[in-house]
Amino acid sequence: MACHRITKRHCITSNTGQSQALEWVLGLSEAPTSKLHLVLCLTLLVLVAICFISLEFRFLGAGPRVSRSGIANSVVQRRDVGERRYLYWGPGIDCPGKYCVQCGGLGHQESSLRCALEEALFLNRTFVLPSTMCIAKEHNNAKLPQLREDQCRLELNRCSMAALYDLVLMSQTVPVIASNSKEWHDIFLRKDTVFVQVEGIKREELKHKEMFRQAHVVNRTANKQAWFMECKNRHNQSAIMLSYSFLQTMVAPPLRAAAELIKEELKDYDALHVRRGDKVKVHKAKSGALRTMYAHLDNDTQPEAILKRIKPWIPAGRTLYIATDERQVHYFDKLFSKYRVMKAKNFSSILDTVVHNNYQLFIVERLVLMGAKTLVNTWKENADDLSLSDETKKKLHRWEHAVNSS
Ligand SMILES: *[C@@H]1O[C@H](CO)[C@@H](O)[C@H](O)[C@H]1NC(C)=O
Ligand SMILES: *[C@@H]1O[C@H](CO)[C@@H](O)[C@H](O)[C@H]1NC(C)=O
Ligand SMILES: *[C@@H]1O[C@H](CO)[C@@H](O)[C@H](O)[C@H]1NC(C)=O
Ligand SMILES: *[C@@H]1O[C@H](CO)[C@@H](O)[C@H](O)[C@H]1NC(C)=O
Ligand SMILES: *[C@@H]1O[C@H](CO)[C@@H](O)[C@H](O)[C@H]1NC(C)=O
């Protein structure tokens, strides 16, 4: 088990006796049946009594340590119910887990973050948001303006969450505090904070069992591969509490302002999102066969193919914003003959001061895409989407690919 006990923290896993042991300590489980249980329970009552008398009591020895007021709160009149409760999934997105070292793309990390936020919403707990997001190296911009300390520290490949998202706005739906905030720091220092460390325990159990409900902090060890693996119920529409577009609309104010300026300049426009980059890559499998994630993508995103495909949807002469990871500057020049083509580069005066990596750039571009009169995506994501390709977007495949690459 990768779950270690530390002072003042309970460690609970689904398949060990520790969970049971702690329930007895808190006196919350069904009446124990064996003699041993009875003895334990009686001993416990005596211990609790001593606890109230001395007010200096602490459990010592082999079992999980429970802080003094932790016991008091659960046995006495739960006078803390109105207090804030926290949910902690780790110091970084997908960490603990594989991605403590490696770094996922923005979509990957957002899937994971959304999953954690959804659980916080479900548990009615404040989510302890990792204060930074890691930025995969290939997504760093080469030419960078001067950075402020509190923004994106590219030398560390990390970007402050506050430089990506609007945490105040987010808190209106799911309360969040940053892991480097004073509030979280104080929780640590307080002697009476009850932490409970859980691993492999379902969210329903976390929500309904008293022992979990009462802990000030639930320290959750999420899936080791990626946090979003905890949200496998996403195909069940009625189980989804946070929409897919939640994080896309929680944009940090400077980025949102940049998107607004761009939209104002574009006025009446249509847009294309053209994913090529890593997605058109071909690599040699062990068998020697060439493999690619999307067999048709390269052909479907050729300029001639695009022109032909979008003709019925976007009349000639329209302003066309193209968000793309294609690195060749002149790749889309053929579209100039029919459209007034604009890309991020045309707005560098707006973007250069606020955008320091491609994650921020895409967060801005997503808002621009959403504002288009007609939007054509690379793949169909919803039934009524317009798309350049008829292939299905391989969400699971992408995840597997990302998770397995080491
Ligand atoms: C959370 O639990 C993990 C073990 O699962 C532990 O390593 C870590 O220190 C704990 N963090 C906090 C904040 O309690
Ligand atoms: C959610 O937690 C807050 C305290 O953080 C509490 O005031 C509120 O009543 C709780 N809501 C529900 C539905 O339990
Ligand atoms: C879908 O989610 C809802 C709400 O959580 C639940 O009641 C229902 O049983 C789930 N359906 C399936 C097929 O899992
Ligand atoms: C892509 O286009 C090339 C040239 O037109 C053609 O030879 C090839 O078969 C196409 N590939 C696919 C997967 O359609
Ligand atoms: C956008 O910038 C390119 C150069 O990067 C330029 O050729 C093009 O004319 C600009 N488009 C508009 C509509 O200004």
Side-chain angles (χ1 to χ4, degrees):
M1 275 296 134
C3 189
H4 305 286
R5 256 176 268 139
I6 53 172
T7 318
K8 281 218 303 143
R9 316 292 203 253
H10 318 157
C11 174
I12 300 175
T13 56
S14 58
N15 49 2
T16 70
Q18 284 168 339
S19 170
Q20 275 267 289
L22 189 60
E23 283 176 51
W24 298 337
V25 167
L26 297 176
L28 296 160
S29 68
E30 316 287 69
T33 46
S34 76
K35 273 186 188 169
L36 176 66
H37 293 181
L38 199 63
V39 170
L40 274 174
C41 257
L42 288 173
T43 315
L44 192 77
L45 281 176
V46 174
L47 290 181
V48 169
I50 295 169
C51 165
F52 290 130
I53 294 160
S54 71
L55 288 176
E56 281 300 320
F57 177 85
R58 278 182 185 218
F59 272 96
L60 297 167
R65 287 183 178 199
V66 180
S67 73
R68 185 182 65 212
S69 72
I71 294 171
N73 285 348
S74 52
V75 178
V76 185
Q77 294 301 309
R78 290 167 219 159
R79 53 192 149 77
D80 282 335
V81 221
E83 236 176 75
R84 247 183 161 188
R85 298 285 190 267
Y86 302 87
L87 177 66
Y88 179 76
W89 274 35
I93 296 172
D94 287 336
C95 167
K98 200 167 184 175
Y99 287 90
C100 282
V101 186
Q102 229 191 347
C103 182
L106 177 68
H108 186 112
Q109 294 194 66
E110 283 192 340
S111 292
S112 282
L113 181 57
R114 205 171 54 237
C115 181
L117 290 170
E118 197 169 278
E119 185 171 290
L121 193 62
F122 180 76
L123 298 177
N124 190 28
R125 282 176 177 268
T126 297
F127 185 68
V128 184
L129 190 71
S131 59
T132 60
M133 180 182 271
C134 71
I135 308 289
K137 276 199 199 77
E138 63 270 26
H139 295 297
N140 274 344
N141 244 331
K143 286 175 289 165
L144 291 166
Q146 280 292 310
L147 295 183
R148 288 211 322 266
E149 255 288 288
D150 61 350
Q151 286 185 333
C152 299
R153 303 195 198 174
L154 291 166
E155 72 279 12
L156 299 174
N157 292 320
R158 305 208 72 86
C159 184
S160 154
M161 277 295 201
L164 298 169
Y165 303 104
D166 185 336
L167 306 192
V168 175
L169 187 63
M170 204 186 282
S171 289
Q172 290 175 11
T173 307
V174 190
V176 295
I177 57 165
S179 60
N180 63 350
S181 63
K182 184 176 181 304
E183 185 175 338
W184 182 235
H185 186 70
D186 289 349
I187 295 287
F188 258 86
L189 295 183
R190 273 177 54 171
K191 279 216 176 68
D192 60 351
T193 301
V194 177
F195 281 77
V196 60
Q197 281 169 225
V198 301
E199 185 166 355
I201 290 175
K202 294 262 174 305
R203 60 177 61 175
E204 283 73 22
E205 205 176 327
L206 288 178
K207 180 165 182 150
H208 298 296
K209 276 209 173 155
E210 280 300 302
M211 60 182 298
F212 298 128
R213 281 164 54 116
Q214 295 191 10
H216 297 105
V217 180
V218 168
N219 176 6
R220 171 93 138 74
T221 302
N223 195 287
K224 288 289 195 302
Q225 290 195 295
W227 285 0
F228 57 66
M229 299 298 280
E230 305 285 346
C231 283
K232 280 183 177 162
N233 64 348
R234 291 201 71 78
H235 61 269
N236 180 352
Q237 285 295 321
S238 61
I240 296 173
M241 298 171 79
L242 277 184
S243 74
Y244 181 76
S245 61
F246 178 71
L247 286 170
Q248 304 181 3
T249 54
M250 297 292 126
V251 175
L255 301 182
R256 196 162 57 216
E260 284 310 317
L261 285 173
I262 293 174
K263 281 158 68 179
E264 263 167 43
E265 275 192 34
L266 288 169
K267 291 191 190 79
D268 183 18
Y269 65 102
D270 300 312
L272 293 183
H273 182 204
V274 188
R275 283 292 292 276
R276 285 178 52 81
D278 56 322
K279 301 291 181 234
V280 293
K281 260 189 206 147
V282 176
H283 57 93
K284 221 177 213 157
K286 274 194 190 127
S287 61
L290 293 180
R291 311 203 75 172
T292 176
M293 215 183 287
Y294 297 95
H296 299 276
L297 184 62
D298 195 15
N299 281 6
D300 290 344
T301 55
Q302 291 297 316
E304 299 83 359
I306 294 176
L307 274 173
K308 205 167 151 218
R309 177 94 168 182
I310 68 175
K311 198 175 168 193
W313 304 323
I314 304 177
R318 293 278 298 167
T319 296
L320 186 64
Y321 185 87
I322 303 180
T324 183
D325 55 0
E326 172 55 54
R327 282 162 194 257
Q328 292 180 56
V329 182
H330 296 290
Y331 186 83
F332 295 100
D333 282 4
K334 283 211 171 96
L335 276 73
F336 286 18
S337 62
K338 285 271 188 309
Y339 302 104
R340 183 172 162 260
V341 175
M342 302 284 258
K343 292 191 288 179
K345 280 268 181 293
N346 294 82
F347 298 99
S348 45
S349 61
I350 296 171
L351 293 169
D352 282 0
T353 50
V354 292
V355 164
H356 309 304
N357 55 60
N358 284 354
Y359 288 26
Q360 287 179 314
L361 176 60
F362 189 57
I363 286 174
V364 174
E365 288 197 302
R366 264 196 316 218
L367 291 177
V368 176
L369 295 178
M370 281 183 215
K373 191 169 170 200
T374 300
L375 168 64
V376 182
N377 268 309
T378 307
W379 298 282
K380 240 186 222 313
E381 299 196 24
N382 302 299
D384 50 357
D385 280 355
L386 299 175
S387 67
L388 295 176
S389 179
D390 290 323
E391 278 181 284
T392 39
K393 191 174 181 188
K394 294 166 189 164
K395 273 194 182 137
L396 274 175
H397 186 106
R398 191 181 85 221
W399 289 346
E400 280 160 19
H401 173 79
V403 168
N404 293 337
S405 65
S406 49

